[in-house]
Amino acid sequence: MEKDIIIDLKNIDVSYGENKILDNISLYIRDKEFITLLGPSGCGKTTTLRVIAGFTQPDCGDVIFNGKKINDLPPYKRQVNTIFQKYALFPHLNVFENIAFGLRLKKKSDKEIKERVAEMLELVNLKGFSKRNIDSLSGGQQQRVAIARALANDPKVLLLDEPLAALDLKLRKDMQVELKNIQQKLGITFIFVTHDQEEALSMSDTVVVMDNGVIQQIGTPQDIYNEPKNAFVADFIGESNILDVVMKEDFRARFSGHTFQCLDKGFGTGEAVDVVIRPEDIVVTTPDKGMISGTVTSVTFKGVHYEIIVDIRGFKWMIQSIHEQQVGDEIGLVIEPDSIHIMKKSIYSGKFGDYSSFSDEIDHLSDIEEEE
Amino acid sequence: MSTKMNVSSKIYLGLVYFFLYAPIIVLIVFSFNESTSTSVMSGFSFKWYGELLRDADTINAVKNTLLIAVVSSVCATVLGTAAAVGIDKMRNKYLRSAIMNTTNIPMMNPEIVTGISLLLLFAFSSQLLGIKNALGLHTLIIAHITFVLPYVILSVLPKLHQMDHHLSEAAMDLGCTPVKSFFKVVLPSIMPGILTGFIMAFTLSLDDFVISYFVSGPEWQTLPIRLFSMTKKRVKPDMYALSTLIFFVMLVLLMLINFMQARGDKKKEKDK
Ligand SMILES: Nc1ncnc2c1ncn2[C@@H]1O[C@H](COP(=O)(O)OP(=O)(O)O)[C@@H](O)[C@H]1O
Ligand SMILES: [Mg+2]
C-alpha cells in the first residue's frame, strides 16, 4: 500500500430506508491532493463527504485515515474540517469569533488566537472584517469566512461541499483560482464537491465521477475527458457524439456507412460497443473529401467556434468548427483514428441519444435546476 | 360615503375598546378613591395601596406567588426546552405529530378539569406514599410546571425549526462534543424562543387561579387566591388596588413578550 495515502474508503455502503445512496464506494485519496467528486445532484457526493467527516455512519465498509480505521471516531475527533454547502456560519458570533471558534475549543492562548485569526483573514483577503456581523456580509465574504474558520484549525484534509455553487459566475471563477492557490500554499488535501464539470476539470488533480451512488470513473482531468469509461462519463463531461457501434474487427469500427481506423484495442469482431467522438475532433471538409457526409441542420455562433449540427443517416452529430456553415449545406467529415474512443457497453449505453433535441435553452434550464 | 363609513367604523372601534377596557378603568379609578364607596369618588389617595403593603397576608401571598412563578417557570423552561429539542430531533413524522398533539391537549383542556385531576392525583399518590397534608408549596409548583410546560415547548420548537441544522454539525466539525455544540451554538440560536417561553410561563403561573385553588391546601395562598378570599369578606378598595397592581404587572409582561416576538420576526425578515 502506498505511503502517502491519507484517506482510504473501502467498499462503503450507505442506505436510507430502501434507498441505496452509496453503493460500494472505494476510493483512496493521496496526501496534498486536490480531488473532486463530480456528479449530478442527488448522486451521493454530500453523503460521501459526510462519511469522511463522520456525520454519516456507513452501513458497511471502512474509512481509513492515515492507515487507521476511523469508522467509530466521532466528527469532533477527526482531523478533517468541512465547508458546508450553505456555509453554516454561527449567526450569533462575529467574524473574529467564528474563525476563532475551533481555536478556543483547543484552549489556545488569546495571543495565539489573535495571530492565527489575523493570519487567516489575510489568507482569504478579509483584513479589517474581524468585528463585522455575519449578517452584514455578502455571500462571497461569508464563503471566505467559512474557509478561514475551517482552515484556522489546521486540518489535514479540507472537505468542500459545492462551496462556489451560490456565487455568480465572475466571483466563482475568481474563487476557483483563489481556492487552488490556498490549497497549494498550505499543502493540504482538498476534497471538493461540485456538479460543474468545467470547475472539476480546471481545478483538480484527480476527478471522481459519480452517478447514482456509484463511482463511474476515477482519473486525472485529461483521462476523464479523453478516455471516458462509459457513456455516462462521456456525456456528463463536455459535449460528445455517442454512437452505438459494432466492431468489424479489432482496430476497425464501422458506423455511418464507413469503416474507421482506430487506436483503441482489445475488442473482438462483432462486439457491440459505444463510440465517443468529441465535437472539436471532427474536421469539416467538402462532401467528396469527407469519410462521411451529411446536411447541416443548425448553426450556432459560440464566440470561439461555431456549433454545427449535421444530420448523417438520421443521426445528428455535433461539430465544433471555426468555419461558418450554412443550414442546408452538404458537408463532409474527416475523423482521425486518435479521435475515436471506444468503450465497452454499460448500463448507460443507449441512454444518451444524438443532438436531435439539442437546444441551448434546455441545457440552460437543467443547469438552473441543478443549482437549486 | 367613504368618510361616513370611516366615522362609523371609528365609532364602532371606540365602542369595542370602551367595553373591553371600561371595567379595568373603573377598577383603576376606584383604587385611588379616598372612601370605601363604590359609587362616589370622594378624593384621590394612595391610602389603599398603603394599607395593602401593611397587610401581612397579602405580602405573604405576593411572596408565595413570586416564589411559585419563578421556580415553576424556570423548571418548565428547562424541561420544555429539552422536550422541544427531543421532539425536533424526531425523524418519525407520525410519532412526532402524535407527541405534538399530546402536548397541545392540556392547553385546550378546561382549567377546572386540570385542577381537579391534579388534586385527585396528589390525593391518590400521597395516600399511596402515606403522607398527610399532601397539599402545599410542592404541589402548587408541580401543578404550575405541568400546565405551563406546553407553552414553553410551543415557543421553543419554531426556533429550532428555523435554525440551520448544519450549525451544530459545523460546531462538531470544529471540535465540539455534541453537548458542547448544543450549549455553544444551538442554545444561543434558540434563546429568543426560550426567553419568550419563560416569560409566558411566568405570566401564566402568576395569574393562575383555578388550578392553584385546587392544589394549594390551607397553608399556601397565592395572590389570586388571596384576592378571591378578600371578595368573600366586605369588599374594600384595597382589593381594587391589588387588582390594579396585578393588571399592570401583566401588562408589562405581555408587552415584553410582544416586543420579543416582534424583534424575532424582524430579524427573520432581514435574514431573507
Ligand atoms: N438524511 C437523509 N435521509 C434520506 N435520504 C437522504 C438523506 N440525505 C440524503 N438523502 C438522499 O440521498 C441522495 C444523495 O444525496 P446527496 O449525497 O446529498 O447528493 P448530492 O450531494 O450528490 O446532491 C439523495 O437522493 C437524497 O435525497
Ligand atoms: Mg450535495
Side-chain angles (χ1 to χ4, degrees), chain A residues 6-182:
Chain A
I6 187 154
I7 290 175
D8 194 358
L9 301 179
K10 286 188 168 155
N11 311 95
I12 302 281
D13 277 5
V14 172
S15 330
Y16 289 115
E18 298 281 280
N19 303 331
K20 200 149 199 186
I21 307 299
L22 294 185
D23 190 355
N24 201 15
I25 295 283
S26 291
L27 168 68
Y28 61 84
I29 295 157
R30 292 199 193 84
D31 199 13
K32 304 188 175 35
E33 180 177 34
F34 195 118
I35 191 167
T36 299
L37 306 183
L38 172 66
S41 110
C43 73
K45 305 180 298 285
T46 299
T47 309
T48 310
L49 282 195
R50 289 175 63 82
V51 168
I52 297 173
F55 295 118
T56 300
Q57 282 294 323
D59 299 337
C60 63
D62 288 340
V63 185
I64 315 276
F65 187 91
N66 256 342
K68 279 195 214 77
K69 183 174 156 178
I70 56 164
N71 282 30
D72 300 322
L73 205 64
Y76 52 90
K77 286 190 181 156
R78 297 193 182 191
Q79 284 173 299
V80 299
N81 283 115
T82 309
I83 292 174
F84 291 83
Q85 210 156 357
K86 296 201 173 105
Y87 316 146
L89 296 174
F90 306 129
H92 61 288
L93 301 175
N94 66 16
V95 170
F96 183 95
E97 287 303 325
N98 262 280
I99 299 173
F101 193 87
L103 302 169
R104 290 212 189 285
L105 287 167
K106 284 185 185 149
K107 302 268 187 298
K108 293 266 169 37
S109 73
D110 273 357
K111 185 165 159 282
E112 237 176 311
I113 291 177
K114 254 199 196 129
E115 280 171 14
R116 185 80 181 143
V117 173
E119 194 185 327
M120 285 301 126
L121 283 172
E122 173 141 25
L123 182 72
V124 297
N125 280 323
L126 278 184
K127 259 184 172 174
F129 278 74
S130 62
K131 290 274 147 17
R132 291 278 291 271
N133 261 333
I134 294 303
D135 294 345
S136 73
L137 301 180
S138 71
Q141 290 163 342
Q142 292 193 6
Q143 166 77 80
R144 287 159 192 270
V145 176
I147 294 169
R149 183 179 69 177
L151 289 175
N153 276 359
D154 215 358
K156 283 261 190 326
V157 177
L158 189 68
L159 311 178
L160 304 99
D161 194 354
E162 310 215 16
L164 310 181
L167 308 181
D168 58 49
L169 190 66
K170 171 88 178 62
L171 198 55
R172 195 150 88 202
K173 297 277 179 216
D174 292 347
M175 279 306 285
Q176 285 176 6
V177 176
E178 218 167 304
L179 273 176
K180 185 80 193 171
N181 285 342
I182 289 175

Side-chain angles (χ1 to χ4, degrees), chain A residues 16 50 53 55 75-78 80-84 86-93 98 101-102 104-107 135 149-150 153, chain B residues 91 163-190 267 270-271:
Chain A
Y16 289 115
R50 289 175 63 82
F55 295 118
Y76 52 90
K77 286 190 181 156
R78 297 193 182 191
V80 299
N81 283 115
T82 309
I83 292 174
F84 291 83
K86 296 201 173 105
Y87 316 146
L89 296 174
F90 306 129
H92 61 288
L93 301 175
N98 262 280
F101 193 87
R104 290 212 189 285
L105 287 167
K106 284 185 185 149
K107 302 268 187 298
D135 294 345
R149 183 179 69 177
N153 276 359
Chain B
R91 273 293 164 84
M163 198 187 78
D164 179 0
H165 279 248
H166 289 302
L167 285 186
S168 55
E169 284 187 348
M172 279 191 259
D173 192 70
L174 294 165
C176 277
T177 59
V179 175
K180 246 194 198 155
S181 96
F182 175 77
F183 283 106
K184 279 190 170 273
V185 174
V186 180
L187 210 55
S189 303
I190 58 170
K267 200 155 170 246
K270 220 177 77 187
D271 287 351

Side-chain angles (χ1 to χ4, degrees), chain A residues 211-272:
Chain A
D211 185 44
N212 240 326
V214 178
I215 293 182
Q216 303 296 333
Q217 188 169 358
I218 305 176
T220 63
Q222 290 83 353
D223 282 348
I224 301 275
Y225 189 82
N226 294 329
E227 312 279 330
K229 276 236 177 81
N230 61 35
F232 173 81
V233 179
D235 180 78
F236 195 74
I237 318 278
E239 299 293 349
S240 43
N241 299 292
I242 305 173
L243 295 102
D244 190 21
V245 171
V246 174
M247 295 300 287
K248 234 175 159 199
E249 55 185 65
D250 214 5
F251 297 114
R252 284 159 71 82
R254 183 165 181 89
F255 51 89
S256 305
H258 182 89
T259 305
F260 290 84
Q261 207 60 38
C262 58
L263 301 179
D264 292 340
K265 59 167 183 271
F267 299 94
T269 305
E271 185 175 346

